[in-house]
Amino acid sequence: MRSLKPTVLLVEDERAQRELLTYNLRAEGLEVNCAENGEDALLMVAEVPPDLIILDWMMPLLSGIEVCRQLKSRDETADIPIIMLSARSEDLDAVRGLDTGADDYVVKPYSVRELLARVRTQLRRTCSATTSAAMRFEDITLDPERHRVIRADQELKLGPTEFRLLLTLMERSGRVFSREQLLDRVWGQDIYVDTRTVDVHIGRLRKALMQWGGSDPIRTVRGSGYALG
């Protein structure tokens, strides 16, 4: 029987880091399962999908990047939020991690308090719907309750972060949101995320919205931000 607590799968090959994070995550009231490598992580997700995955980039047998790619390519696991941990601090590495499908990227060494804040934000955004009413903009329909997006009668595949971005933009179509405003609304005010992260996820949202054709509904306002329509 599955626990009523939100479940986190921690994928980390360093024992000291694994034990530290497990202790702190459990202190937050979360159920924690651990995997020491990427292959074990995929097996565990297939058996019991967690509510969130904390995934180290550099691991034996299968890298975190490959684990993330495989999970995000499968319909049954694509919506599980993934926080990528990495000692790689270069901007290109962060972009690569986000492009692979990670919903957040944290550079080692990190603050445990900040990581926990990011975990809370991802779980809060994933487990609660902002509204139950379906929303429409032109040929796009978003159903928050069922977590579905339809465009021109075709269902779109959106990750949880892209879904929240679209929801925010559709709530006030035509309004220009700055990157900082989108960070506050989508990622939360209690964590720090670089504004360039917004650009990466907007790019992914655009790609998803046009996967079956159609024009780009997202307008870029240079020096200001983004708007829908």
Side-chain angles (χ1 to χ4, degrees):
M1 183 176 179
R2 182 163 179 167
S3 171
L4 295 178
K5 299 178 182 178
T7 302
V8 175
L9 175 60
L10 172 60
V11 191
E12 169 65 74
D13 63 314
E14 296 181 16
R15 180 177 177 180
Q17 288 293 313
R18 197 167 59 246
E19 291 179 350
L20 174 65
L21 288 179
T22 297
Y23 173 83
N24 283 278
L25 289 165
R26 286 176 177 163
E28 288 282 311
L30 303 172
E31 187 79 18
V32 184
N33 297 319
C34 296
E36 298 181 24
N37 59 70
E39 290 186 352
D40 286 350
L42 289 176
L43 291 173
M44 293 175 70
V45 172
E47 185 176 347
V48 181
D51 296 299
L52 180 141
I53 300 171
I54 300 175
L55 181 62
D56 188 31
W57 180 318
M58 301 296 292
M59 290 186 300
L61 302 181
L62 202 64
S63 71
I65 283 285
E66 179 58 21
V67 172
C68 182
R69 186 194 67 77
Q70 290 192 31
L71 292 175
K72 292 297 184 178
S73 68
R74 301 171 185 169
D75 290 343
E76 61 271 24
T77 55
D79 290 339
I80 301 174
I82 295 176
I83 300 177
M84 183 80 73
L85 305 179
S86 177
R88 298 169 178 262
S89 59
E90 296 296 325
D91 289 344
L92 287 177
D93 293 318
V95 170
R96 182 184 172 197
L98 293 168
D99 277 344
T100 305
D103 298 279
D104 204 351
Y105 186 93
V106 179
V107 177
K108 295 180 177 181
Y110 50 79
S111 160
V112 173
R113 180 179 297 178
E114 181 183 348
L115 178 59
L116 292 176
R118 292 174 186 247
V119 167
R120 288 193 297 269
T121 296
Q122 289 291 339
L123 289 173
R124 183 170 63 246
R125 302 289 187 177
T126 302
C127 297
S128 62
T130 302
T131 175
S132 59
M135 307 171 68
R136 291 178 179 83
F137 174 80
E138 295 182 353
D139 60 347
I140 302 170
T141 301
L142 182 149
D143 186 339
E145 195 169 62
R146 301 174 66 189
H147 206 279
R148 295 181 66 192
V149 176
I150 306 291
R151 186 177 192 190
D153 298 322
Q154 295 283 350
E155 185 167 358
L156 308 182
K157 295 181 180 179
L158 268 64
T161 302
E162 287 69 47
F163 185 89
R164 295 193 301 269
L165 267 175
L166 180 59
L167 175 62
T168 299
L169 293 172
M170 288 185 72
E171 284 177 333
R172 298 286 295 275
S173 60
R175 170 183 170 174
V176 178
F177 288 90
S178 69
R179 290 171 176 81
E180 290 77 12
Q181 288 172 326
L182 290 173
L183 283 173
D184 286 347
R185 289 171 177 260
V186 176
W187 281 264
Q189 296 180 342
D190 54 348
I191 65 173
Y192 171 77
V193 180
D194 194 285
T195 54
R196 285 168 292 188
T197 300
V198 175
D199 298 331
V200 172
H201 284 282
I202 286 287
R204 283 163 53 177
L205 176 57
R206 278 185 163 130
K207 182 178 179 181
L209 289 173
M210 295 188 289
Q211 64 188 267
W212 300 110
S215 61
D216 182 3
I218 300 177
R219 178 165 51 97
T220 300
V221 182
R222 191 168 183 176
S224 297
Y226 300 100
L228 193 66

